[in-house]
Amino acid sequence: MADNKVEISASIMCIDWLHAARQLEILEKHGIDYLHFDVIDGRFAPDFTMGSSIINKFRDRSKLRSDYHLMVEEPNQLFDCFQISPGDIFTVHQECCRNLHRDLVTLRRLGARVGVALCPGTPLEMLDYVIEDVDVILIMTVNPGFMGGKLVPQTLRKIEKLRELISDMHLDIKISVDGNVNFANVRNMVAAGADILVGGSSGLFRSDMDLEDSIKRLKDCIDEGLQQR
């Protein structure tokens, strides 16, 4: 069930690559919960991001749990490319899996906390018959692809509806939110029911603010959102 702990997952595709080691230290120092790794194949979503060799380098340098987000067609072909440790989240898109339930079962056997992601236009009803088998549902609040996408406002209502569904079914599922997680939107996302926020270029790794300052501001906005629940 939902609690009052909202976790932060730092989107590594948005990190300052010239100062990545230092920024990893800051993320750990200030209690960030996960490193969020976006894997994009250029087919389901535009752009390309990190491969497994780069991701594993970050894992070797950090004690933080991993939060994998695969935006690729038929992600099961890549499952064996990644290291999975207890507590890691591994999320695949409903829109990408020909046999979603089979993929979720495979991930569970590999030891992951299992996640399913939904694009803005994908209804919650697409989770029928698999929702009991997931630990995390990731709501995309922008269309997947490049950094800095614009918030799709209807997705806030989608978060609220999902929170009600989880509560009505008495399930222990976390709601993760990814896309335009900036200071203005965080309060509403948390108030709507978000449990995990993916911090990227608009909220965490900002060009106009030191990372330590943006972490503090983000946490303040989370507290404000919790007061509105």
Side-chain angles (χ1 to χ4, degrees):
M1 303 300 292
D3 54 34
N4 286 330
K5 170 75 163 98
V6 175
E7 298 178 307
I8 299 174
S9 189
S11 179
I12 296 303
M13 70 181 290
C14 302
I15 202 168
D16 180 350
W17 289 89
L18 296 180
H19 304 92
R22 173 57 181 154
Q23 291 203 334
L24 279 178
E25 293 175 359
I26 293 172
L27 295 174
E28 291 188 0
K29 173 184 174 183
H30 290 276
I32 297 301
D33 300 281
Y34 303 93
L35 300 183
H36 183 92
F37 298 115
D38 287 300
V39 179
I40 304 176
D41 63 359
R43 297 176 61 195
F44 172 68
D47 204 3
F48 297 90
T49 51
M50 301 159 285
S52 58
S53 59
I54 295 175
I55 290 172
N56 290 337
K57 287 291 185 181
F58 277 94
R59 284 177 56 94
D60 291 343
R61 289 293 300 268
S62 177
K63 300 176 182 178
L64 299 181
R65 292 169 291 174
S66 295
D67 178 14
Y68 295 98
H69 179 192
L70 269 63
M71 290 176 270
V72 303
E73 297 288 353
E74 288 302 312
N76 61 79
Q77 300 177 26
L78 299 179
F79 289 170
D80 292 338
C81 296
F82 301 97
Q83 301 172 8
I84 297 177
S85 300
D88 289 347
I89 300 171
F90 204 109
T91 298
V92 296
H93 269 263
Q94 183 276 336
E95 303 90 352
C96 291
C97 299
R98 190 171 301 168
N99 190 327
L100 177 60
H101 186 266
R102 179 183 61 196
D103 291 345
L104 299 179
V105 170
T106 300
L107 287 171
R108 180 82 64 195
R109 288 174 178 165
L110 291 172
R113 293 169 62 199
V114 178
V116 175
L118 299 178
C119 289
T122 303
L124 295 176
E125 286 75 16
M126 299 304 292
L127 295 174
D128 282 354
Y129 312 114
V130 299
I131 191 170
E132 294 93 342
D133 297 304
V134 302
D135 302 301
V136 178
I137 297 172
L138 188 155
I139 298 296
M140 294 293 299
T141 47
V142 302
N143 285 298
F146 298 101
M147 295 185 295
K150 185 177 180 181
L151 178 78
V152 178
Q154 300 94 314
T155 55
L156 294 175
R157 178 161 43 90
K158 191 175 185 180
I159 297 168
E160 291 179 349
K161 184 177 179 182
L162 177 58
R163 173 54 61 206
E164 293 175 1
L165 177 63
I166 291 170
S167 178
D168 290 344
M169 295 183 70
H170 304 288
L171 297 173
D172 185 13
I173 296 174
K174 299 294 186 183
I175 299 175
S176 181
V177 177
D178 187 356
N180 208 211
V181 181
N182 62 29
F183 304 139
N185 292 329
V186 162
R187 300 175 185 86
N188 292 331
M189 292 171 172
V190 172
D195 301 301
I196 303 171
L197 298 174
V198 179
S201 59
S202 62
L204 196 59
F205 298 105
R206 295 175 61 100
S207 60
D208 61 346
M209 185 178 293
D210 290 338
L211 182 56
E212 290 185 289
D213 293 335
S214 67
I215 293 172
K216 182 180 184 303
R217 178 77 181 276
L218 192 60
K219 289 184 175 182
D220 288 343
C221 292
I222 289 172
D223 289 340
E224 293 173 9
L226 286 171
Q227 292 173 13
Q228 297 175 24
R229 278 191 181 176

